[in-house]
Amino acid sequence: MCVTAVESRPAGVALTPSPGGQRPFGARVKAFVALTKPRIIELLLITTVPVMFLAAQGVPDLWLVLTTTIGGYLSAGGANALNMYIDRDIDALMDRTSQRPLVTGMVSPRECLAFGISLAVISTVWFGLLVNWLSAALALGALLFYVVVYTMLLKRRTSQNIVWGGIAGCMPVLIGWSAVTNTVSWAAVILFAVIFFWTPPHYWPLSMKVKEDYARVGVPMLPVIASNRVVARQIVAYSWVMVAVSLLLTPLGYTGWFYTAVALLTGGFWLWEAHALLGRAKSGVTGTKLKEMRLFHWSITYVSLLFVAVAVDPFLR
């Protein structure tokens, strides 16, 4: 969710600038920050920094952590700004995005485009000069995948948009590992797969909640074109694969008992919630009683706890 200094108004109604076209400096700064979608970037960084600890088998160079974190924020922020530029037409019609800076008029489309491209260029150079060029290439690849493949090609054309588009959100795992080792190992690939299978059952519950928004603008998210029962079945299927993949790190020798315990406990609770959602969907429960957001909120807690375990595990082996 992005918070900007603007007043509430119905979706699709642009905010009229103050007399004389003036826009308060503080509100403008907040609007540009909102273009980067800071709340989403928090999740990306949660999957980047812990992997650096695993790659280093201890505490990585703290300057490297700082530069990787800044570069990751700049790159993801650029991708998110470009996403808002492309989606500004449908953002104006959706309740959940109606306060975004381009819709309110706090930032112009031209400013947003220039801002997004600038962050993309700066982040790539930043990674290349201060981290390494493999990380720079991975970060740029993630940005282009999110903007071109997901936003421009998949989002408005297929219900599998979030499945394949989610690849961009998996890339921080590879970036964190490559920042430390200048390579990509099987451990990073496994964690990449965890996020890949995590993304659909993380996002589909939210899509179930706001499916009218997506239906209004013709975005075929799975809950828009399929019943709650079908969506819940897909959530359960992806959840089982995600939990199974998360447990591969230990038999391959990358993690020990602590990570395994956390993965089992958090994954078990996830599966409980996913099956509970499926049970409610099968019973024909709708509206607030479906409680689909329980799984959405838990999904954020799950990935946070799992990756904290990734960072802590090397110290307990």
Side-chain angles (χ1 to χ4, degrees):
M1 296 178 61
C2 298
V3 181
T4 54
V6 294
E7 59 187 293
S8 301
R9 71 210 186 326
V13 180
L15 180 71
T16 302
S18 56
Q22 296 179 353
R23 292 172 289 184
F25 177 76
R28 290 266 287 163
V29 171
K30 291 181 180 179
F32 276 99
V33 172
L35 289 177
T36 67
K37 300 183 184 177
R39 294 295 297 276
I40 293 177
I41 293 177
E42 286 177 17
L43 280 176
L44 297 179
L45 296 180
I46 284 173
T47 62
T48 303
V49 176
V51 173
M52 298 180 72
F53 280 75
L54 183 62
Q57 284 296 297
V59 180
D61 179 86
L62 296 182
W63 171 250
L64 181 63
V65 173
L66 178 62
T67 54
T68 302
T69 300
I70 293 173
Y73 188 99
L74 294 174
S75 180
N80 290 329
L82 294 172
N83 168 268
M84 286 197 198
Y85 173 80
I86 296 166
D87 279 350
R88 65 191 185 278
D89 57 334
I90 61 176
D91 282 350
L93 302 175
M94 296 176 64
D95 291 334
R96 63 183 291 266
T97 57
S98 62
Q99 294 294 305
R100 286 181 172 175
L102 286 180
V103 181
T104 64
M106 193 60 66
V107 176
S108 72
R110 179 177 296 180
E111 289 172 331
C112 180
L113 179 61
F115 182 65
I117 293 174
S118 297
L119 289 183
V121 173
I122 292 170
S123 64
T124 303
V125 175
W126 177 279
F127 266 117
L129 296 180
L130 298 179
V131 183
N132 59 58
W133 287 104
L134 175 58
S135 296
L138 290 170
L140 180 59
L143 182 151
L144 293 174
F145 196 95
Y146 182 69
V147 173
V148 178
V149 177
Y150 171 67
T151 306
M152 297 178 67
L153 299 179
L154 296 178
K155 184 174 181 178
R156 308 191 194 196
R157 290 181 172 87
T158 172
S159 62
Q160 296 298 299
N161 47 21
I162 200 65
V163 175
W164 300 107
I167 289 175
C170 305
M171 296 298 282
V173 172
L174 303 185
I175 294 168
W177 191 278
S178 67
V180 174
T181 67
N182 203 22
T183 61
V184 173
S185 79
W186 280 111
V189 172
I190 290 170
L191 289 170
F192 176 100
V194 170
I195 299 300
F196 177 81
F197 290 108
W198 170 85
T199 302
H202 157 69
Y203 198 79
W204 281 333
L206 175 62
S207 300
M208 295 168 79
K209 178 74 172 179
V210 298
K211 63 182 178 181
E212 277 80 19
D213 252 2
Y214 285 118
R216 186 186 307 128
V217 296
V219 174
M221 290 293 179
L222 185 61
V224 173
I225 67 168
S227 67
N228 288 340
R229 178 180 298 190
V230 170
V231 177
R233 282 176 178 165
Q234 289 289 305
I235 287 173
V236 167
Y238 274 91
S239 298
W240 273 100
V241 177
M242 175 197 71
V243 173
V245 171
S246 73
L247 295 172
L248 290 177
L249 286 175
T250 301
L252 293 178
Y254 292 109
T255 52
W257 68 269
F258 181 76
Y259 169 84
T260 304
V262 173
L264 284 171
L265 290 172
T266 57
F269 189 75
W270 177 299
L271 293 174
W272 176 275
E273 287 289 348
H275 279 278
L277 176 60
L278 177 58
R280 293 190 292 271
K282 283 183 175 180
S283 300
V285 174
T286 58
T288 57
K289 292 184 179 180
L290 186 60
K291 299 179 182 178
E292 67 277 11
M293 292 300 285
R294 281 172 58 101
L295 184 58
F296 172 78
H297 291 304
W298 170 249
S299 69
I300 298 172
T301 302
Y302 167 83
V303 79
S304 301
L305 292 176
L306 188 73
F307 276 81
V308 166
V310 166
V312 171
D313 189 84
F315 299 99
L316 301 177
R317 298 183 66 191

